[in-house]
Amino acid sequence: MSSSASSAAGGGTGNGGIVNGGISFWFADDGLPAVREPLTGDATADVVIVGGGYTGLWTAYYLKKAAPFLRITVLEQKFCGYGASGRNGGWLYNGVAGRDRYAKLHGHEAAVRLQRAMNDTVDEVVRVAAEEGVEADVHRGGVLEVARTPAQLARLKAFCEQERAYGEKDRELFGARQTAERIRVADAVGSTWTPHGARLNPAKLVKGLAAAVEALGVTVHEATPVTEIRPKHAVTPYGTVRAPYVLRCTEGFTASLKGMRRTWLPMNSSMIATEPLSDEQWESIGWAGRETLGDMAHAYMYAQRTADGRIALGGRGVPYRFGSRTDNDGRTGRETVEALRDILVAFFPALAGVRVEHAWSGVLGVPRDWCATVTLDRTTGLGWAGGYVGSGVATSNLAARTLTDLVQQDSGQAGPTELTALPWVGHKVRKWEPEPLRWLGVQGMYATYRTADRREVRTHSAESSRLARIADRVAGRH
């Protein structure tokens, strides 16, 4: 068996015995699913969904619930959850990419409606998981984001005020002492907390969702890569599925489709998971509320306390591969593993001796303007949703419900809804630059963010580094 095949089956070892790759720790913990049968020839459907991650499966779920008579087929290149849906940090929270831009384009109230819908989406995912009997280790501890430098604290306070301005009246701001009562992060000078968040095991959620969709009567073909999407056609090596509606739900893998190399950039994110911590170690750092944990650095981190007592922590490693390439099994370079471990120890010095047992990587979808979108082209029947920029665990559910309503409206089964009027519907964005500009731009952007973070630590200034503002403008984030 080749090393890559070995990793995909159970994870390769390296970096001192770390299970490296194997898709993710979440699948190593819960087991890889048995792959469903691939497509065996040409077929027809009422709706064909390309991509078996959260967006595709949630769309199939809500469409089938709304119209049980629909013949729905999901086509997945590997197995459901192979992409970001099975590799993410398990943050079910109310963040949505592009909200500020939508406020500029459509007005503040439109963005408030989008944010309110996202707040409700956290509740919706928890509700459906319970209703369908999906055990995904959900714990509703909210989201805690900490500041560790004066510049981060200034951004934290501005962020908190901004969230409240978008209607999040239940968000709280804590000082250093209150933060330490929740979690003892070294050098933390403040934090902000929202109840609109939960920790979960992403692989358990996607596997349970796939089973629920299949139980409703949706046809799911795995090991079936789609090579081209065109009106009323999803083309695979094994046959073509024809349907009035073809919905692209491919997120970070969109660039692999014919003609879509520059549509969404596949941004790489990496994670590590520690060995299970002892009761004494947990006592030393707190975290009894099991909040998902983030920070206000420009090159930010994200973490959770897992159901089996580990810390799973992520951030940007190698942010982008030349030519919009994606990895296969999530194998992660030694330097990235060490950099993430350094973050872990910087946050929790008492854990300097804790072993890292798992490392993995995956890609997320980034549009050129960093805005998540949902679209249905009524002239062609082609639809798509995604570009979540790393906030997809909850956003994919709202996007799927929105895409469902758009199909229902277009087919005459229903009229306009609150979701079809959200400002991200039908949003258009230009393509990414050709290579090598794309590679140079992304590598330079994250190098600049890291330099800005180091400078803020060194200078102890309350003003954000000018370098980060330059990187934001180059990236098109503002």
Side-chain angles (χ1 to χ4, degrees), residues 16 63 67 114 196 233 262 287 315 321 350 453 473:
L63 269 173
L114 180 59
H196 301 292
H233 296 74
R262 294 163 53 197
W287 212 346
R321 291 181 171 84
D453 285 328
R473 286 197 293 272

Side-chain angles (χ1 to χ4, degrees), residues 116 164 176 289 308 354 364 473:
R116 191 179 300 124
R164 288 170 174 168
D308 63 346
V354 168
L364 49 101
R473 286 197 293 272

Side-chain angles (χ1 to χ4, degrees), residues 27-47:
F27 279 114
D29 180 51
D30 197 50
L32 290 175
V35 178
R36 296 171 174 85
E37 290 297 314
L39 185 70
T40 56
D42 292 344
T44 61
D46 297 311
V47 180

